[in-house]
Amino acid sequence: MALNDLKSALPDYAKDLKLNLGSVIGNSDLPQQQLWGTVLACAIASRSPKVLAELEPEARENLSPEAYTAAKAAASVMAMNNVFYRTRHLLSDPEYGNLRAGLRMNVIGNPGVDKTDFELWSLAVSAINGCGMCLDSHEQVLRKADVDRETVQEAVKIASVLQAVGATLDAEAVIAQV
């Protein structure tokens, strides 16, 4: 199982990550599609080749072709949106918020899967990419759709653990080459 391979690849000092990786994926209460869509979108957003290589095959097995594509689309469109909207928010001139974005993001309106699942994946990717505006926006959509806070937090936990695992493994790969 790829999850065990990732856990065994982590150094001893990252024992907490090993335990957290097992719990956020292996013991998640999320439905399969929400879980594995979140895992795939976050593995992509982590930018870690090792994390993506280990988790993508299992995500592909656990997702329909439509959900697999939608999770990749969530990571892709949020990579753009998180930079754009985070920048708008961080600029001290509020007038940027009044300008038309002019960026295509049609997949958000028609992701090919349940919109709630896509919003959850988008929120998780936004957590990795650090866009507060996007986090707020996706969380509000999820809460209006009666998604509970525990589900939102579960997605954020997956995002945080996968990001940390990726950063740790990538750092260790560099150190091993020194």
Side-chain angles (χ1 to χ4, degrees):
M1 177 186 216
L3 188 56
N4 289 333
D5 291 341
L6 268 182
K7 286 173 20 179
S8 66
L10 287 165
D12 289 341
Y13 68 80
K15 182 179 180 183
D16 289 328
L17 292 182
K18 290 180 188 187
L19 296 170
N20 289 331
L21 188 59
S23 67
V24 299
I25 296 176
N27 298 324
S28 176
D29 290 332
L30 293 177
Q32 285 293 99
Q33 181 165 297
Q34 285 184 351
L35 170 64
W36 285 102
T38 302
V39 168
L40 179 58
C42 290
I44 293 168
S46 78
R47 295 174 183 83
S48 171
K50 177 79 171 163
V51 169
L52 182 57
E54 292 296 334
L55 295 176
E56 182 277 335
E58 198 162 349
R60 186 186 294 265
E61 286 178 23
N62 284 286
L63 293 169
S64 68
E66 296 80 13
Y68 177 83
T69 299
K72 292 193 308 180
S76 175
V77 75
M78 295 318 296
M80 173 187 69
N81 283 358
N82 292 155
V83 170
F84 182 80
Y85 288 105
R86 182 178 63 237
T87 300
R88 254 191 182 181
H89 178 72
L90 292 173
L91 289 170
S92 61
D93 183 349
E95 288 303 311
Y96 286 101
N98 296 325
L99 299 176
R100 184 177 168 278
L103 297 171
R104 303 267 185 208
M105 46 191 102
N106 295 328
V107 71
I108 294 173
N110 187 17
V113 294
D114 183 271
K115 186 130 169 60
T116 302
D117 292 350
F118 191 84
E119 289 288 334
L120 188 68
W121 305 336
S122 297
L123 175 128
V125 170
S126 297
I128 289 173
N129 292 334
C131 181
M133 277 184 78
C134 293
L135 280 166
D136 281 343
S137 175
H138 295 292
E139 190 267 348
Q140 288 171 13
V141 171
L142 288 164
R143 297 292 292 139
K144 284 179 187 168
D146 293 325
V147 173
D148 58 35
R149 286 179 179 88
E150 291 79 12
T151 298
V152 171
Q153 181 168 292
E154 212 42 46
V156 173
K157 285 167 44 177
I158 292 167
S160 65
V161 171
L162 290 184
Q163 176 66 17
V165 168
T168 301
L169 293 176
D170 292 351
E172 286 297 316
V174 171
I175 292 168
Q177 294 176 2
V178 175

